[in-house]
């Protein structure tokens, strides 16, 4: 069976470096908010080209705490509208509703699965205060146009960069376009820890300080509490793992692009829709998502051919039980996307032979 993603093999490549890093942390006797987190924050900020990086416990917290910080700073208030793509992973929307902000779901561009400037502009009302720009499947959203729109209407932009570490437009990376960006380092993400981890990048020093305090019980200084905060910190051990993984991220992205290029060049079944890509740098191929009207039959057929696939995502947020308030709406494109998408095996260690097996299997599907 060709696995969807062989995480064990990916991490095993770096076993010696990871063990050395873990040993360093164990032997240091210091496990929370120490030198590893500090170093990772500097290295990841530098990687993204951002001034600040604040480590948090996971990607959802990165998004939630950024919106919360803007509320504490008086830049957002309860009930403000936040534009978000309807086809995103539910975490982008949970971050909005957790802060009692109002998610305004917008249909994506059907070719890229990301927000498009026209539909985003059409969704702006006098109550709109922010946009959550999700870089879905690893492809960066059209940030120059979205930022122009945000400037025009005075909106805050939060990038959900959980799937797009290293993607860029005109040399400017995900995490360095919006007023802030939330990253996830969930193990299966392109930059994955060995457990939960996340971070916010921003050029705004006050925002970075506020998020840091919010994630540390609302405290910027020991035993002084400015906010009713939470506990959401990046652990030393995960920071140490991430420092190792970050050093290899660019090679891994290169390998993913080679897999994607192979698929794009060799999959030629007229019933299978290939993903649209802009410039090569804009996509880091967290997922390689094809579309088919016979998606379920295709998935079954590929499994019979030894090709493991997944669906990202089977049910859109507005059709989830969790969201009664959103279930009254229907989003035609989003629903069609969820019915037809299929994610092919994708990862930095896929061999040419495995790519070939996948392409042949898909091309033989009738
Ligand atoms: C993974 C993911 C998140 C949440 O990250 P966690 O670290 O799992 O909390 C948020 N948004 C998107 C688009 C994601 O893919």
């Amino acid at each position: 069976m060709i696995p969807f993603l062989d995480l064990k093999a990916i991490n095993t490549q770096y076993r010696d470096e990871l063990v050395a890093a873990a040993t360093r942390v164990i032997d240091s006797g210091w496990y929370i908010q120490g030198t590893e987190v500090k170093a990772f924050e500097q290295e990841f900020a530098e990687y993204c080209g951002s001034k600040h990086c604040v480590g948090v416990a996971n990607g959802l917290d990165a998004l939630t705490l950024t919106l919360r910080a803007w509320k504490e700073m008086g830049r957002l208030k309860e009930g403000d509208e936040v534009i978000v793509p309807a086809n995103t992973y539910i975490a982008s929307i949970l971050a909005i509703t957790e802060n009692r902000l109002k998610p305004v779901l917008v249909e994506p561009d059907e070719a890229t699965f990301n927000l498009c400037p026209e539909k985003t502009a059409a969704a702006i009302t006098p109550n709109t205060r922010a946009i959550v720009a999700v870089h879905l499947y690893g492809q960066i959203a059209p940030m120059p146009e979205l930022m122009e729109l945000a400037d025009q209407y005075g909106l805050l932009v939060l990038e959900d960069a959980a799937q797009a570490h290293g993607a860029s437009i005109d040399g400017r990376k995900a995490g360095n376009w919006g007023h802030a960006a939330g990253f996830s380092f969930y193990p299966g993400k392109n930059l994955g820890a060995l457990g939960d981890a996340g971070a916010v990048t921003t050029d705004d020093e006050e925002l970075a300080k506020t998020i840091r305090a919010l994630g540390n019980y609302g405290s910027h200084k020991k035993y002084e509490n400015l906010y009713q905060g939470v506990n959401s910190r990046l652990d030393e051990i995960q920071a140490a793992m991430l420092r190792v993984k970050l050093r290899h991220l660019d090679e891994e992205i290169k390998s993913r692009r080679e897999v994607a290029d192979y698929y794009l060049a060799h999959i030629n079944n007229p019933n299978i829709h290939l993903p649209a890509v802009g410039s090569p740098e804009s996509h880091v191929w967290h997922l390689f998502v094809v579309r088919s009207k016979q998606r379920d039959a295709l998935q079954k057929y590929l499994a019979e051919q030894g090709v493991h696939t997944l669906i990202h995502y089977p049910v859109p947020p507005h059709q989830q039980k969790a969201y009664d308030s959103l279930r009254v709406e229907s989003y035609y494109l989003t629903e069609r996307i969820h019915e037809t998408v299929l994610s092919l095996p994708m990862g930095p260690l896929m061999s040419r032979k495995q790519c070939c097996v996948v392409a042949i299997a898909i091309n033989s599907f009738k």
Side-chain angles (χ1 to χ4, degrees):
M1 193 81 173
I2 297 177
F4 179 72
L5 175 72
D6 194 345
L7 206 48
K8 182 175 162 178
I10 292 171
N11 287 330
T12 300
Q13 300 174 91
Y14 315 129
R15 193 174 190 285
D16 292 348
E17 286 174 82
L18 291 169
V19 169
T23 305
R24 195 169 66 225
V25 174
I26 293 164
D27 292 348
S28 75
W30 193 278
Y31 308 113
I32 297 281
Q33 291 193 315
T35 53
E36 298 289 339
V37 169
K38 203 170 199 154
F40 173 71
E41 287 176 342
Q42 272 170 11
E43 288 159 11
F44 193 64
E46 195 173 310
Y47 179 82
C48 295
S50 302
K51 288 202 180 115
H52 308 280
C53 169
V54 182
V56 295
N58 55 64
L60 174 58
D61 282 2
L63 300 170
T64 308
L65 291 177
T66 302
L67 294 172
R68 166 95 191 264
W70 278 332
K71 283 175 75 188
E72 299 289 355
M73 291 161 70
R75 312 230 8 218
L76 292 176
K77 61 173 191 322
E78 250 183 70
D80 282 350
E81 291 180 6
V82 180
I83 289 174
V84 61
N87 61 318
T88 186
Y89 180 57
I90 198 165
S92 324
I93 296 171
L94 290 170
I96 297 169
T97 53
E98 172 66 20
N99 279 294
R100 297 175 186 279
L101 300 161
K102 185 176 175 224
V104 173
L105 274 50
V106 173
E107 293 268 42
D109 176 293
E110 199 172 3
T112 63
F113 306 107
N114 279 331
L115 279 180
C116 79
E118 294 74 24
K119 290 180 207 171
T120 304
I124 295 173
T125 77
N127 299 321
T128 308
R129 292 289 175 271
I131 299 172
V132 174
V134 184
H135 308 316
L136 203 66
Y137 306 150
Q139 180 159 227
I140 190 168
M143 294 312 293
E145 295 81 2
L146 291 175
M147 292 313 294
E148 201 179 304
L149 203 58
D151 283 347
Q152 197 182 333
Y153 289 91
L155 309 178
L156 293 163
V157 175
L158 172 57
E159 295 171 67
D160 180 341
Q163 303 187 355
H165 324 72
S168 66
I169 297 176
D170 297 336
R172 189 165 164 188
K173 285 205 175 91
N176 188 25
W177 279 95
H179 302 99
F183 285 90
S184 166
F185 309 119
Y186 178 84
K189 299 286 159 81
N190 284 21
L191 177 57
L194 274 67
D196 275 313
V200 177
T201 55
T202 181
D203 282 350
D204 181 342
E205 187 175 1
E206 189 193 350
L207 178 68
K209 279 188 178 154
T210 308
I211 293 168
R212 198 178 288 289
L214 283 171
N216 191 36
Y217 321 115
S219 171
H220 67 302
K221 214 164 133 190
K222 210 161 191 180
Y223 306 125
E224 261 183 50
N225 296 75
L226 290 173
Y227 316 103
Q228 296 174 18
V230 298
N231 178 344
S232 180
R233 297 178 297 226
L234 174 59
D235 293 333
E236 284 287 287
I237 195 118
Q238 294 306 340
M241 300 296 102
L242 286 166
R243 292 181 70 197
V244 171
K245 298 288 293 283
L246 180 58
R247 292 202 285 272
H248 299 285
L249 179 59
D250 283 341
E251 313 153 28
E252 290 200 2
I253 291 172
K254 186 166 169 274
S255 303
R256 286 175 181 271
R257 286 188 179 136
E258 283 165 10
V259 175
D261 287 346
Y262 186 94
Y263 284 163
L264 290 169
H266 293 88
I267 296 174
N268 53 20
N269 184 327
N271 296 317
I272 309 293
H273 220 79
L274 290 167
V277 221
S279 76
E281 302 77 40
S282 68
H283 211 320
V284 291
W285 301 103
H286 174 57
L287 298 170
F288 190 97
V289 177
V290 299
R291 293 181 67 187
S292 163
K293 289 211 169 90
Q294 305 121 282
R295 190 264 316 273
D296 294 341
L298 174 64
Q299 184 171 38
K300 187 163 169 280
Y301 177 79
L302 291 176
E304 286 160 8
Q305 307 297 309
V307 176
H308 185 216
T309 57
L310 292 174
I311 296 169
H312 297 91
Y313 299 91
V315 181
H318 74 275
Q319 292 183 330
Q320 297 285 354
K321 272 221 173 65
Y323 280 121
D324 275 339
S325 56
L326 300 177
R327 255 189 307 171
V328 294
E329 307 286 342
S330 77
Y331 297 88
Y332 181 82
L333 270 182
T334 294
E335 288 160 24
R336 299 295 85 75
I337 287 171
H338 284 71
E339 284 163 9
T340 54
V341 287
L342 189 67
S343 307
L344 303 186
M346 168 53 77
L349 291 182
M350 280 192 72
S351 66
R352 200 32 77 99
K353 180 142 181 279
Q354 287 178 315
C355 295
C356 177
V357 170
V358 174
I360 288 172
I362 294 191
N363 290 340
S364 64
F365 174 70
K366 298 222 172 52

